[in-house]
Amino acid sequence: MPNPDIRTDDLRAALPHDVAQDLILARLTDPFGFLGLRAHADGFALNVFVPDADRCICLTGKKTRIEMAPVPFAPGLFCVLLPKDVPYQIEAQFGEAQWVFHDPYAFGSSLTADDLHYLGEGSMNRIWDVLGATPMSHEGVDGVRFAVWAPNAQRVAVVGDFNIWDSRRHGMRRLGQSGVWELFVPALKAGEVYKYAIRGADGRDLPLKADPIGFGSEHPPKTGSIVREIKTHDWADDAWMSTRAKAQNIDAPISIYEVNLASWKRADGNRPLSYIELADQLVDYAADMGFTHIELMPITEHPFDGSWGYQPIGMFAPTIRHGTPEEFRALVTAAHGKGLGVLLDWVPAHFPTDEHGLAQFDGTALYEHGDPREGFHQDWNTLIYNFGRIEVANYMRSNALYWLEEYHLDGLRVDAVASMLYRDYSRNDGEWVPNKDGGRENYEAIAFLQGVNTLVYGEVPGIMTVAEESTAFPRVSTPVDHGGLGFGFKWNMGWMNDTLRYMEEDPINRKYHHHLLTHSISYAYTENFVLPISHDEVVHGKGSMIDKMTGNAWEQFANLRAYYGFMWTHPGKKLLFMGQEFAQRKEWNHNQSLDWHLLDAPAHAGIQHLVRDLNKLYRSVPALHVNDTRPAGFGWIEGADVENSIYVYVRHGKAGDPRVVTILNMTPVERTGHRVGLPSGGYWREAINTDAEIYGGGGRGNLGGVQAQDIEWMGQAHSAELTLPPLSAVILIEGEET
């Protein structure tokens, strides 16, 4: 029984002055050892800290009110001795106002020993269920649990509008040796802005930090994290989710529309469209154009517009520039409703040095390497993740899974893979650290990428991953259990570089560069390739696609039409950056809309019509996609007509599928009566002629098709005479007569 003679005054007098001073100076490292209700020899002692309060009253029942004593040497600290351990609330009075609240220090931890164990061993696949700001009911009270990994910090507090950014008020508890700090704050709800106030191991207070697992962020240039509820969306996309595996395998037609949401189209006043507006306008447009997928340039939260999202800080937050996480989910749902997959451009290679981000997060090189030869990216002035640290690798692996599970995204295009694979990437001798065997391969990053692919393919049926990898690193799209990196697909950067070089050549010189269109077939099946014409090809002085084409205006458009005909009939999945489908003239500018008014001009509208028809043909004709990744899918009929710059090739599908023959005339000379070998007799329909008037061409063609003759030519048993318009692609389909 408590001693009836003990008085609160005695309790107050016995409080340790040094601990109280640490509290009011925001230096207290173990607030749960001092605040809240604790066993006492004569009952239970309660300390609460409410700066600026005139009075504090402890409420232990409907009618029980116990006055708390202020502590003179620690302003804002109040104490009382209770006879027993009972639930309580605090009534704080500020003049005429009063506030009744649950004491954060009355609650135990909501994290389990298993949670901390899996975090520590790097096997917490869904790290967002444990760390971050999570709205929840805990011990019968609604609020938000904050949890953050900062193993080298002396002290961590959560601050925000809810506590007037006072780091003294909500100091967090450290959970053993896990490095995790946690606090449940009652009554908080989604929408609260917050950051972490961290004191480093050296006793230095760091700049306030955004949450590494924050589910939302303030509008830039503000940098606070925002509490978001991420578990409540009604997806209504079961039909898509149950069939997407078929739509995303190597046999499927995959044509990707790469988009920067901020500059695809803008509203009046040059305002970027919202996720809700994009769910209507972008989704309808991409579906009408016949694309199968939309690829979003990084929408993970980033502080600087000019980074286009490639220097992200909020890896778990869709950028607020277009709306809330719930509204982003609406965009994904709308895309799925139209049969479109949504891919995220994902950036695990590096992160920016902004002081509110991961850099020196707890006062040490925690997420990054300490040695700048390993941890600083010279090309982008960014920091490189230390994937040799299991917690860091786990953080990013889990992030990949997060987007696929919580936002129903259909895949990840992984940025800058080449920079991750090699320790000497873009470095001179002496500027990099060899691996343990003295070589240049980054074993830790390789293991990380393999781990990501193993995790996401194992946990989320039907997804796809795509590597932007520009070197000859082997087996990028080979499964991990067969010695590969485990990606589903790889960008074919060699094809892109060679073919664009060719298109920039004056046709009179193309015979000297004939190999630039043929070389890619020699390695076309070493990986599961995507043919990318991405944003990287239309920025930094590279001009637009139409401006890359040689010749006068008419020749430029003809060249571009022929190039797209070649691209859509070449083995490999397709990717085209926004605006290039209607021959955007200007180089891409992230600060303004595409030049949609160009569609008033027939030449631009014609390019758009061609891309729509190419997508339709690609999707509907199996020979153009089912063997994109197999040598059986392609054969040269004529690949050596150097003098005329003519190419003839056939695409094969499965047995019995109609074959497709493409003839490219890459000179501005019209060729009539030009005999071309064909793999079978009968009728061959002219499915697409890029010189058709509807595409902006001269209308020279083959009257809808040709009848093959039993005349051997180009090694084929049959042939036909064709009209080959200047700078054109003619695409014939076997056995189809209209």
Side-chain angles (χ1 to χ4, degrees):
M1 293 291 294
N3 184 343
D5 297 325
I6 193 76
R7 299 177 312 179
T8 296
D9 286 348
D10 297 330
L11 176 66
R12 178 171 54 183
L15 289 174
H17 285 227
D18 58 340
V19 176
Q21 286 301 302
D22 283 345
L23 172 67
I24 64 174
L25 295 175
R27 296 190 309 223
L28 188 61
T29 60
D30 180 22
F32 279 86
F34 182 69
L35 297 175
L37 194 63
R38 300 167 324 287
H40 186 279
D42 295 291
F44 289 85
L46 175 61
N47 294 334
V48 297
F49 183 59
V50 190
D52 302 323
D54 297 319
R55 298 174 63 197
C56 278
I57 298 170
C58 179
L59 310 177
T60 61
K62 292 183 179 179
K63 297 182 179 180
T64 305
R65 298 167 57 85
I66 305 173
E67 186 82 21
M68 301 188 70
V71 179
F73 56 83
L77 182 63
F78 295 81
C79 66
V80 70
L81 188 69
L82 302 180
K84 57 183 178 178
D85 182 1
V86 292
Y88 66 92
Q89 294 185 65
I90 303 298
E91 179 186 299
Q93 298 181 1
F94 305 85
E96 297 296 320
Q98 66 180 33
W99 171 39
V100 176
F101 62 93
H102 287 279
D103 181 9
Y105 299 99
F107 294 86
S109 174
S110 64
L111 298 181
T112 68
D114 282 348
D115 292 334
L116 302 179
H117 171 76
Y118 294 132
L119 282 169
E121 72 173 16
S123 61
M124 176 61 72
N125 291 336
R126 293 167 181 81
I127 197 172
W128 67 92
D129 285 340
V130 177
L131 301 182
T134 306
M136 62 189 306
S137 179
H138 181 43
E139 298 180 7
V141 176
D142 291 338
V144 175
R145 180 192 66 205
F146 296 92
V148 64
W149 180 60
N152 301 302
Q154 284 188 8
R155 179 181 184 273
V156 180
V158 60
V159 295
D161 293 338
F162 57 90
N163 63 12
I164 59 173
W165 299 88
D166 184 346
S167 64
R168 302 173 300 168
R169 296 173 184 252
H170 287 96
M172 304 173 75
R173 63 155 65 86
R174 180 174 185 136
L175 299 178
Q177 299 302 308
S178 66
V180 174
W181 299 75
E182 181 233 23
L183 184 69
F184 176 75
V185 181
L188 290 193
K189 298 179 180 179
E192 293 283 356
V193 179
Y194 70 100
K195 283 186 176 180
Y196 294 114
I198 299 175
R199 175 161 294 175
D202 61 358
R204 179 175 58 92
D205 287 327
L206 305 177
L208 296 180
K209 294 288 188 178
D211 193 340
I213 306 186
F215 304 133
S217 297
E218 291 185 285
H219 281 274
K222 293 182 178 180
T223 57
S225 299
I226 296 181
V227 177
R228 296 291 187 190
E229 175 57 70
I230 63 168
K231 300 289 187 181
T232 58
H233 186 72
D234 180 11
W235 279 102
D237 62 352
D238 289 349
W240 165 260
M241 296 294 281
S242 64
T243 60
R244 71 174 176 185
K246 184 177 180 181
Q248 301 197 147
N249 65 35
I250 59 173
D251 294 333
I254 295 176
S255 182
I256 303 166
Y257 189 48
E258 185 191 22
V259 177
N260 174 261
L261 294 183
S263 58
W264 177 71
K265 186 181 289 186
R266 294 206 169 193
D268 292 343
N270 203 34
R271 172 183 63 80
L273 298 182
S274 69
Y275 291 128
I276 298 300
E277 291 168 319
L278 290 160
D280 178 22
Q281 299 178 42
L282 171 61
V283 167
D284 284 354
Y285 177 77
D288 175 69
M289 286 296 297
F291 290 101
T292 65
H293 288 72
I294 299 170
E295 179 181 311
L296 307 178
M297 289 172 64
I299 54 89
T300 39
E301 193 60 83
H302 50 282
F304 176 47
D305 289 354
S307 78
W308 315 330
Y310 289 99
Q311 295 194 9
I313 282 183
M315 289 301 294
F316 287 78
T319 180
I320 193 63
R321 290 167 173 83
H322 307 285
T324 66
E326 184 65 12
E327 290 166 337
F328 176 62
R329 285 185 173 90
L331 168 58
V332 177
T333 304
H336 289 172
K338 291 282 187 176
L340 289 165
V342 183
L343 309 178
L344 171 66
D345 209 339
W346 187 58
V347 187
H350 61 129
F351 59 91
T353 59
D354 298 62
E355 64 178 15
H356 70 282
L358 296 182
Q360 293 281 309
F361 185 76
D362 64 358
T364 67
L366 186 63
Y367 286 87
E368 68 271 35
H369 291 273
D371 187 335
R373 295 176 299 167
E374 297 180 280
F376 185 74
H377 206 300
Q378 299 174 126
D379 289 355
W380 302 310
N381 294 321
T382 52
L383 300 173
I384 299 171
Y385 288 103
N386 179 5
F387 290 120
R389 185 160 196 161
I390 58 174
E391 298 95 339
V392 175
N394 184 56
Y395 168 77
M396 288 302 292
R397 275 197 312 270
S398 185
N399 181 252
L401 186 62
Y402 168 81
W403 289 103
L404 301 174
E405 287 196 340
E406 295 294 347
Y407 289 94
H408 279 207
L409 294 179
D410 303 293
L412 304 172
R413 176 269 189 185
V414 183
D415 180 61
V417 170
S419 74
M420 301 174 67
L421 296 176
Y422 299 102
R423 288 173 165 267
D424 64 345
Y425 183 88
S426 196
R427 295 179 187 271
N428 299 317
D429 290 345
E431 295 178 347
W432 59 283
V433 179
N435 62 36
K436 64 183 179 65
D437 296 319
R440 57 195 288 259
E441 294 80 11
N442 190 327
Y443 293 155
E444 294 81 8
I446 291 169
F448 165 75
L449 292 169
Q450 291 174 322
V452 167
N453 284 312
T454 299
L455 176 65
V456 299
Y457 275 106
E459 294 288 329
V460 193
I463 58 90
M464 60 187 284
T465 61
V466 184
E468 185 213 12
E469 203 286 308
S470 55
T471 74
F473 192 90
R475 299 185 295 279
V476 171
S477 57
T478 298
V480 173
D481 59 0
H482 285 69
L485 290 183
F487 286 93
F489 299 91
K490 172 183 171 175
W491 274 17
N492 193 337
M493 308 294 279
W495 172 88
M496 178 272 299
N497 285 314
D498 285 351
T499 59
L500 291 184
R501 279 177 55 205
Y502 182 88
M503 299 308 296
E504 291 169 355
E505 289 289 340
D506 189 304
I508 199 170
N509 295 322
R510 283 178 174 167
K511 63 183 178 181
Y512 304 114
H513 305 277
H514 195 80
H515 66 285
L516 291 176
L517 291 196
T518 61
H519 176 58
S520 58
I521 296 300
S522 67
Y523 60 85
Y525 307 105
T526 58
E527 302 279 2
N528 301 331
F529 279 123
V530 173
L531 309 182
I533 298 299
S534 75
H535 69 278
D536 279 331
E537 312 321 314
V538 295
V539 291
H540 300 318
K542 296 178 184 177
S544 63
M545 279 295 290
I546 189 67
D547 280 343
K548 295 179 191 299
M549 303 296 118
T550 188
N552 59 33
W554 187 93
E555 290 169 333
Q556 283 185 309
F557 278 96
N559 269 306
L560 186 58
R561 292 193 300 267
Y563 182 78
Y564 285 163
F566 168 61
M567 176 178 174
W568 258 261
T569 56
H570 187 286
K573 311 310 179 184
K574 324 301 174 190
L575 180 143
L576 191 64
F577 182 58
M578 65 181 198
Q580 310 318 304
E581 80 278 10
F582 61 81
Q584 166 93 5
R585 265 289 180 193
K586 296 177 183 175
E587 185 173 274
W588 172 53
N589 182 347
H590 70 275
N591 282 321
Q592 65 186 49
S593 169
L594 297 177
D595 293 331
W596 293 99
H597 64 276
L598 292 176
L599 288 169
D600 294 336
H604 292 276
I607 294 285
Q608 184 192 54
H609 198 141
L610 173 63
V611 171
R612 184 187 289 111
D613 284 355
L614 286 169
N615 273 330
K616 180 179 179 181
L617 186 72
Y618 172 64
R619 296 176 67 166
S620 62
V621 177
L624 290 177
H625 60 256
V626 298
N627 281 321
D628 268 336
T629 63
R630 301 181 185 94
F634 180 92
W636 283 113
I637 293 176
E638 176 57 83
D641 189 353
V642 175
E643 287 300 318
N644 294 313
S645 296
I646 288 176
Y647 305 78
V648 186
Y649 52 90
V650 59
R651 294 295 307 277
H652 303 277
K654 297 177 182 178
D657 288 338
R659 287 170 285 192
V660 177
V661 169
T662 300
I663 307 100
L664 304 177
N665 176 16
M666 302 308 285
T667 68
V669 177
E670 180 179 354
R671 304 185 188 279
T672 58
H674 189 89
R675 187 165 292 277
V676 171
L678 295 170
S680 68
Y683 190 80
W684 287 75
R685 178 172 68 89
E686 187 177 66
I688 286 183
N689 180 332
T690 62
D691 190 57
E693 290 183 4
I694 197 170
Y695 304 142
R700 291 153 288 197
N702 298 282
L703 301 177
V706 293
Q707 189 74 32
Q709 300 170 305
D710 294 334
I711 299 175
E712 292 188 19
W713 204 258
M714 295 179 178
Q716 306 297 309
H718 309 275
S719 62
E721 289 187 348
L722 296 171
T723 294
L724 305 183
L727 300 173
S728 68
V730 174
I731 304 171
L732 306 177
I733 298 182
E734 176 183 28
E736 293 192 7
E737 186 168 4
T738 56

